[in-house]
Amino acid sequence: MLMQLTLGGLSQGMIYALIALSLTVVYRSTTVVNFGHGDFVMAGAFLSYVLVVLAGVAFLPAAVLAMIAMFVLGVLFNRGLIRPVRGGPHIGLALMCIAAGYVLRGIARMVWGREVLPMPAVFDMQPIFLGNLVITGDAVFIIGTVLVLLLILFGLLAMTDLGKMIQAVYQSPRGARLIGLNVDRFNDFSWGIGAALGALGGILVAPVSLLHPDLGASFLIKGFAAMTLGGFGSLGGAVLGGVLLGLAEQYAGAYLDSALIEITAYVVIVAVLFIRPQGLFGRKAVVKV
Amino acid sequence: MKTFASLLAAFAVSASPLLAQDDAWETQGLTDDAITIGVMGPFSGNASSYSKALIGMMAYYDKVNAEGGVHGRQLVAVQEDTACDSAKGLAAAKKLISQDEVFMLQGNSCSGVAVALRPTIEEAGLPWIVAHAVSDSISDPLAANIFHGVPTGRANGRAMAQFVLSKPDTTNVAIIEHSNDWAHSYSNPARDYLEEQGVTPSLELTMERGQTDATAQVLKLRQEQPDFIIAALYEAETAIFLRDLKKYGMGDIPVMGTAGTDLENTLKRTGDFDTVKNYYVIHSYVDNLDGPLMQPWGDMIHEYYPEEELSTFSFVSIGSAEALVAALEAVGPELTRSKLMAALEEVRDFDTGILSDPITWTPEDHQGVKGSAVAGFVDGEPTVLKAWGQPY
Amino acid sequence: MSQTKMPSARQRRLRSWLFWAVPAVLLLLPLATNPYTQFIANGILISVLVTLGFTLVIGNLGQLAFANTAFFGIGAYASAILAAKLGVPWLLTIPLAGAFGALGGFLASSAALRGIRSYYLAIITLAFGELMRWAYLHAKPVTGGTDGMPMPRETLLGTSLSDDTLKFYIFLAVTVLLVKATLNLMRSRFGRAVMAVRENEVATASLAIPTARVILVTFMWSGFVVGCAGALFARHVGHVFPESFGMLHLIASFAMVLVGGLGSVLGAVLGAVLLTALPEYLRAFPGMEELFFGLIVAGVLVAMPMGLASLLRRVSPIFVERFYREAP
């Protein structure tokens, strides 16, 4: 049972990791937390649904197209709606993100409001039985895809100057501008990547969760919990936090009470912030006065 | 201060109970060629898939209207959104009653909202046919103007538990549900019936809305190995739960679901017959959703709402709309609210041709539908059942 | 931007006259309403209090705490439990609910006082709200669980408390009282300390102002105001359900704060009026409320990042609030 829970937790955790990672990418380079991210996740899933089921595109190209579309949407969102309110109160940005999420959800509701749609399984594979342990196609597919993606992403960060640029923009946008970085374009790029990664989370989860306009609602808080656990702003921490949260949910649900799955993320947030506010890898979160 | 005092006096007068309901009140919302009916439902928000029920009901109004209406009057639906939220639902009810001044109300999907509405509507006194929400406390204790036109949670929950126990040698029953009033309105009566029969659920599990994985719950079930599982879960979570059950090798344990899901769409959502072959649902209808007896109703909905995807919700409110039309016919052209309510209380064993059980409203009991059938797959085909292995 | 002209002495007198004129005119409102519009008006008064309590913390104190829906739920449940289980008259439950709300504020401030700030505070207070909702759902013997808590029927001066007009006068009295008290508090020495903490906590502390106490008291006052609003809400709907205190409510009141104008009492009123009334107009478009709501909020944020109150400030210095700062 422990092994099975671990596997289930890993495959859920990979989705959380992806969502936490996409939130962190945006936060690191723009210091904005996208409070509407759940709906970006949902929008990615619906885009791929439209392409696969309604336009007959194969899954893989559809997923890539949906991610590109969400990249563009992320860039447009930054340019059209985030930039104009940057001069206002900082938390106006949080509300702007929520408002954008509402618009996305509103569109989905308008078109598919009364439906719960099935998304065809991508990776139809007979489950493998190892004794009592069942390994399903979904789990293999989700874990595999996210691992490959993480390798590429962290490889890029390690081998290029991208990581340093992100760090520079995060620490001081003005300083980054001084050394010749185009911060505006950099922010566009981060929003695009964040939206595309979030969309991928949606695309991966949709065959499991089914499609409905409220699909993304629960993912935002899981992303937050994963980020908090790993250390806010740490890319590696976001991934580890996501995986740990996935595992914690399964263990709490099976060994304690299934009613606790719902609040595992919240308990993690409260506990981490009170006990070790910097998370596993983050910098100090508390302010000393 | 003078204004304030006179105002207080004014409102004290206006607040005096409207017991002496006059002629104007009796025919409010009524003209020679129209009856306005307030239709409340969750047209937005995360329960909007329920509003299919009201779409089906309004399609029936359209059909009646196309055939000339009732005594020359058209049934005019005034839609209001409750978003499945009690404050928003109250606003909707007050708007319909005092601003749109509808003749009567029919509809409402969310039990919590309906329960919150009850005092307001009871006080207003106009007829309200509850056409979808199931909670018993909407119509019990009796309210003179509130009529329940679908099987209530008690009827459904008992039907679920009865079916579960009708399978020979069933002693170990597990329950999995959402932590919300909707799920409890099914599971609590089911629990009561099980207890009456000396069966205590062996395992109580929750799976909340929005959860995309049921591994932890299913593994607990695997340890317990129940004979039957009662699952009060919404559409998406039902599919996820059944899929995980099958995944972990327990596809052979029968699962009893609520009227919130149906076989055809659950099959579509899981995309795999093996996953749903042991799934049973409360099915308040005379036939499968795509069976010959239901076909005309589906066609009717599509005539007026061509894009509408049909689910079990689509049909649930039509029966009470038929009963309403029959009562309106019986009253004759000189319609009043009191006459309509009197006529509704005359409805006896009314066969709707769509609900599996007839509608009976008496002056003592306004919970019109007392039972529900069950549907399950028999030889690969969705089949309406009376009990385990017994076709309806 | 902070060159806004301050009101003259004459304008200040006009302003205080205006302050009392608004509720005086509102006394006549029930003559112009039907039960539906009266219900909406009552809902607006509740929103005003919720928004006011919220803006105190995120606007005036500058702490990103999203616990106001938790305060609201605590207040509503406190009122319902006291009234239904212990038979306390509902009117008396209002200040008691406020006290429980203040207790919630105390809990939320303990996070801030541990140095959990900015987005961390946002997230931990979000979690606080959701944990409270989970508690309402699962503490069935106390809260009624998923069935919620019905408010007992009660009469006041011979009139049923289900009467929306009677409720309006009570809600109006509570709202005016709390708005006035909040304004006085913010205009006092304490209010100046609140702004000082927002601007620079370290510098404020160095002036021997007890910043921790300032933060604590602001959170507790916010909790008190919103807790009272919760008691009003319990009577407004007549039945308290856990679902009423979720994320949707939080987002709606967050939008009210910013659309009205962050940290402005006038803004809290304007935002609450606009965004409580607006969804009623959107009823004409079933299924499209979310879309319109999103578009309108985004539009207001782009067109006037400082909210509706900034519009009025431009019209006349009467509407300039003391110590209000235009810059973010």
Side-chain angles (χ1 to χ4, degrees):
Chain A
M1 178 149 146
L2 181 67
M3 284 301 291
Q4 193 70 64
L5 287 170
T6 308
L7 187 69
L10 274 181
S11 89
Q12 279 286 301
M14 282 297 179
I15 304 276
Y16 301 159
L18 202 55
I19 288 159
L21 189 67
S22 51
L23 280 165
T24 307
V25 166
V26 175
Y27 172 69
R28 280 288 288 214
S29 45
T30 66
T31 68
V32 176
V33 173
N34 183 1
F35 279 83
H37 199 57
D39 296 307
F40 282 72
V41 171
M42 178 274 301
F46 266 100
L47 273 177
S48 70
Y49 171 83
V50 169
L51 290 167
V52 171
V53 177
L54 302 182
V57 183
F59 181 82
L60 203 65
V64 173
L65 280 175
M67 284 175 69
I68 293 174
M70 287 305 292
F71 181 92
V72 174
L73 190 75
V75 173
L76 290 178
F77 174 57
N78 182 42
R79 291 212 177 162
L81 293 175
I82 289 290
R83 243 186 250 171
V85 298
R86 283 209 85 114
H90 197 65
I91 60 168
L93 297 168
L95 184 64
M96 184 56 97
C97 295
I98 294 172
Y102 259 62
V103 171
L104 292 176
R105 202 186 306 179
I107 293 170
R109 185 94 62 207
M110 215 168 63
V111 186
W112 296 286
R114 294 193 295 274
E115 321 293 342
V116 176
L117 301 162
M119 179 87 180
V122 201
F123 197 63
D124 234 351
M125 163 190 119
Q126 280 302 310
I128 305 165
F129 290 87
L130 292 176
N132 238 347
L133 183 68
V134 188
I135 302 171
T136 58
D138 285 332
V140 173
F141 178 66
I142 290 175
I143 297 175
T145 313
V146 178
L147 277 182
V148 169
L149 192 96
L150 291 179
L151 277 178
I152 296 173
L153 198 76
F154 283 94
L156 270 179
L157 288 176
M159 285 189 283
T160 65
D161 284 339
L162 202 61
K164 282 181 200 141
M165 288 191 232
I166 293 179
Q167 187 64 25
V169 176
Y170 177 59
Q171 285 188 333
S172 164
R174 217 171 130 204
R177 210 169 267 133
L178 282 174
I179 58 165
L181 275 175
N182 185 337
V183 174
D184 282 341
R185 191 173 301 162
F186 199 85
N187 285 347
D188 284 348
F189 181 72
S190 303
W191 269 103
I193 292 289
L197 285 179
L200 179 65
I203 295 166
L204 288 178
V205 84
V208 182
S209 71
L210 305 172
L211 275 169
H212 46 98
D214 303 287
L215 168 68
S218 63
F219 283 109
L220 181 69
I221 210 81
K222 313 269 174 156
F224 284 166
M227 285 170 86
T228 311
L229 183 57
F232 226 71
S234 153
L235 293 169
V239 174
L240 194 70
V243 171
L244 289 177
L245 176 66
L247 292 173
E249 287 189 345
Q250 297 291 351
Y251 296 153
Y255 294 123
L256 300 172
D257 190 325
S258 50
L260 293 175
I261 297 177
E262 171 92 341
I263 51 162
T264 306
Y266 306 117
V267 173
V268 163
I269 290 171
V270 174
V272 169
L273 286 179
F274 269 89
I275 297 163
R276 189 183 157 85
Q278 68 272 41
L280 297 171
F281 295 113
R283 289 178 296 183
K284 258 202 148 18
V286 294
V287 185
K288 279 271 182 298
V289 180
Chain B
M1 237 25 234
K2 211 171 186 178
T3 18
F4 183 61
S6 63
L7 213 82
L8 268 182
F11 105 79
V13 172
S14 74
S16 63
L18 273 166
L19 282 180
Q21 274 141 0
D22 52 14
D23 293 351
W25 181 85
E26 283 286 359
T27 55
Q28 201 172 51
L30 206 58
T31 62
D32 285 343
D33 47 16
I35 302 169
T36 52
I37 304 174
V39 176
M40 288 178 278
F43 294 101
S44 72
N46 66 7
S48 50
S49 68
Y50 284 5
S51 61
K52 283 182 173 299
L54 310 159
I55 301 285
M57 189 177 84
M58 289 189 290
Y60 181 75
Y61 292 173
D62 289 332
K63 173 178 172 279
V64 171
N65 291 340
E67 289 162 0
V70 187
H71 295 298
R73 291 190 177 103
Q74 299 277 299
L75 304 176
V76 181
V78 184
Q79 277 184 64
E80 279 304 335
D81 183 22
T82 65
C84 217
D85 171 79
S86 44
K88 192 140 196 220
L90 260 176
K94 287 181 191 254
K95 176 166 187 286
L96 288 169
I97 294 168
S98 61
Q99 186 159 306
D100 301 329
E101 301 193 325
V102 295
F103 179 72
M104 62 170 290
L105 303 169
Q106 186 172 26
N108 210 291
S109 290
C110 299
S111 286
V113 174
V115 170
L117 291 184
R118 182 187 149 127
T120 299
I121 296 178
E122 197 179 356
E123 197 173 318
L126 80 173
W128 177 27
I129 299 179
V130 182
H132 192 192
V134 295
S135 177
D136 281 273
S137 46
I138 305 167
S139 49
D140 179 28
L142 182 91
N145 59 328
I146 301 176
F147 296 81
H148 224 134
V150 285
T152 61
R154 200 182 295 143
N156 280 328
R158 287 182 85 84
M160 284 165 77
Q162 260 164 2
F163 184 81
V164 165
L165 293 184
S166 72
K167 179 172 180 268
D169 303 323
T170 301
T171 51
N172 186 337
V173 181
I175 297 177
I176 180 164
E177 59 181 338
H178 295 313
S179 303
N180 62 19
D181 61 320
W182 171 85
H184 290 175
S185 69
Y186 287 96
S187 65
N188 288 339
R191 260 185 213 104
D192 292 345
Y193 183 81
L194 290 175
E195 299 281 354
E196 282 168 30
Q197 305 299 315
V199 175
T200 308
S202 58
L203 199 54
E204 300 265 6
L205 297 169
T206 52
M207 175 175 174
E208 298 304 353
R209 294 203 70 187
Q211 283 181 12
T212 55
D213 178 275
T215 305
Q217 289 91 339
V218 168
L219 291 182
K220 281 185 131 173
L221 287 165
R222 188 160 80 177
Q223 285 182 330
E224 185 61 43
Q225 288 293 333
D227 304 320
F228 224 120
I229 301 168
I230 291 177
L233 303 172
Y234 284 132
E235 300 143 297
E237 290 78 7
T238 298
I240 292 164
F241 174 66
L242 292 176
R243 203 161 40 197
D244 281 359
L245 208 58
K246 157 92 184 332
K247 190 161 103 179
Y248 296 116
M250 285 179 295
D252 290 334
I253 301 180
V255 177
M256 180 75 234
T258 65
T261 56
D262 57 59
L263 298 179
E264 288 84 349
N265 284 294
T266 309
L267 173 58
K268 228 186 276 172
R269 288 182 197 118
T270 57
D272 170 40
F273 177 70
D274 263 0
T275 305
V276 295
K277 66 172 194 255
N278 286 315
Y279 185 53
Y280 298 85
V281 292
I282 281 290
H283 186 84
S284 318
Y285 310 118
V286 288
D287 198 354
N288 308 324
L289 295 188
D290 51 5
L293 293 178
M294 297 298 274
Q295 177 83 30
W297 301 109
D299 291 346
M300 176 193 81
I301 295 173
H302 280 146
E303 190 177 341
Y304 299 102
Y305 297 89
E307 301 288 308
E308 185 74 1
E309 293 273 341
L310 300 179
S311 81
T312 185
F313 298 141
S314 304
F315 305 98
V316 72
S317 300
I318 297 175
S320 69
E322 286 180 73
L324 167 65
V325 170
L328 288 170
E329 293 281 2
V331 171
E334 301 300 318
L335 182 61
T336 66
R337 280 172 171 166
S338 299
K339 281 190 196 166
L340 173 63
M341 288 188 273
L344 287 172
E345 286 180 341
E346 296 291 312
V347 172
R348 294 283 183 287
D349 282 322
F350 181 77
D351 182 4
T352 57
I354 184 165
L355 293 174
S356 62
D357 286 64
I359 299 180
T360 297
W361 284 310
T362 66
E364 295 77 36
D365 186 357
H366 284 183
Q367 301 196 327
V369 190
K370 291 298 183 191
S372 237
V374 169
F377 286 100
V378 176
D379 301 325
E381 285 300 315
T383 308
V384 185
L385 300 167
K386 232 173 12 203
W388 186 262
Q390 278 179 48
Y392 173 75
Chain C
M1 291 236 300
S2 50
Q3 268 70 20
T4 330
K5 242 176 31 201
M6 293 308 271
S8 65
R10 215 183 112 240
Q11 282 168 328
R12 279 210 297 277
R13 273 198 303 280
L14 183 64
R15 178 166 67 184
S16 65
W17 186 83
L18 258 180
F19 178 88
W20 292 109
V22 171
V25 171
L26 282 180
L27 285 177
L28 298 171
L29 184 76
L31 294 179
T33 56
N34 62 34
Y36 162 61
T37 44
Q38 189 61 60
F39 180 78
I40 302 305
N42 295 359
I44 288 176
L45 290 174
I46 295 173
S47 297
V48 166
L49 290 180
V50 172
T51 313
L52 178 69
F54 201 1
T55 207
L56 272 181
V57 169
I58 61 174
N60 300 59
L61 188 64
Q63 294 296 327
L64 210 47
F66 288 113
N68 75 307
T69 293
F71 305 158
F72 191 52
I74 291 170
Y77 267 100
S79 171
I81 291 167
L82 288 168
K85 302 226 154 160
L86 304 175
V88 180
W90 170 71
L91 267 184
L92 271 184
T93 71
I94 301 174
L96 292 172
F100 278 98
L103 195 66
F106 172 76
L107 285 177
S109 76
S110 72
L113 291 175
R114 283 184 68 106
I116 299 168
R117 296 294 167 85
S118 168
Y119 287 125
Y120 299 90
L121 187 62
I123 289 169
I124 199 171
T125 44
L126 276 181
F128 175 43
E130 288 298 300
L131 287 171
M132 286 310 301
R133 201 173 58 86
W134 189 84
Y136 309 143
L137 277 172
H138 292 273
K140 192 174 166 68
V142 189
T143 61
T146 55
D147 297 335
M149 295 275 290
M151 292 294 284
R153 283 168 199 252
E154 251 184 86
T155 53
L156 190 75
L157 304 171
T159 308
S160 163
L161 269 177
S162 67
D163 185 278
D164 283 313
T165 312
L166 175 62
K167 278 191 259 187
F168 176 73
Y169 287 116
I170 300 172
F171 289 12
L172 185 66
V174 174
T175 306
V176 170
L177 209 66
L178 288 173
V179 169
K180 186 68 190 156
T182 305
L183 275 173
N184 287 351
L185 188 70
M186 284 302 117
R187 282 180 192 147
S188 71
R189 206 183 149 77
F190 177 80
R192 268 169 282 171
V194 171
M195 314 290 169
V197 167
R198 177 186 69 190
E199 299 304 321
N200 191 332
E201 202 174 330
V202 178
T204 309
S206 72
L207 295 173
I209 293 172
T211 55
R213 199 186 305 160
V214 170
I215 291 173
L216 176 76
V217 172
T218 311
F219 266 96
M220 287 182 71
W221 179 251
S222 164
F224 181 81
V225 171
V226 180
C228 291
L232 302 188
F233 182 77
R235 188 45 87 185
H236 179 58
V237 175
H239 200 128
V240 182
F241 289 104
E243 285 78 19
S244 303
F245 310 106
M247 220 61 114
L248 289 179
H249 178 265
L250 182 63
I251 288 172
S253 40
F254 186 34
M256 288 173 197
V257 169
L258 284 168
V259 165
L262 190 63
S264 150
V265 173
L266 179 65
V269 176
L270 293 176
V273 172
L274 182 76
L275 288 189
T276 313
L278 183 76
E280 293 303 318
Y281 288 100
L282 294 182
R283 280 184 178 282
F285 311 92
M288 293 167 75
E289 288 91 336
E290 285 158 321
L291 182 61
F292 282 119
F293 183 85
L295 288 175
I296 288 166
V297 169
V300 171
L301 285 175
V302 170
M304 32 186 161
M306 301 313 296
L308 296 170
S310 68
L311 213 63
L312 286 183
R313 277 197 292 277
R314 240 171 282 156
V315 175
S316 162
I318 291 182
F319 299 109
V320 174
E321 286 164 61
R322 215 164 152 198
F323 305 117
Y324 179 83
R325 197 183 57 133
E326 282 260 321

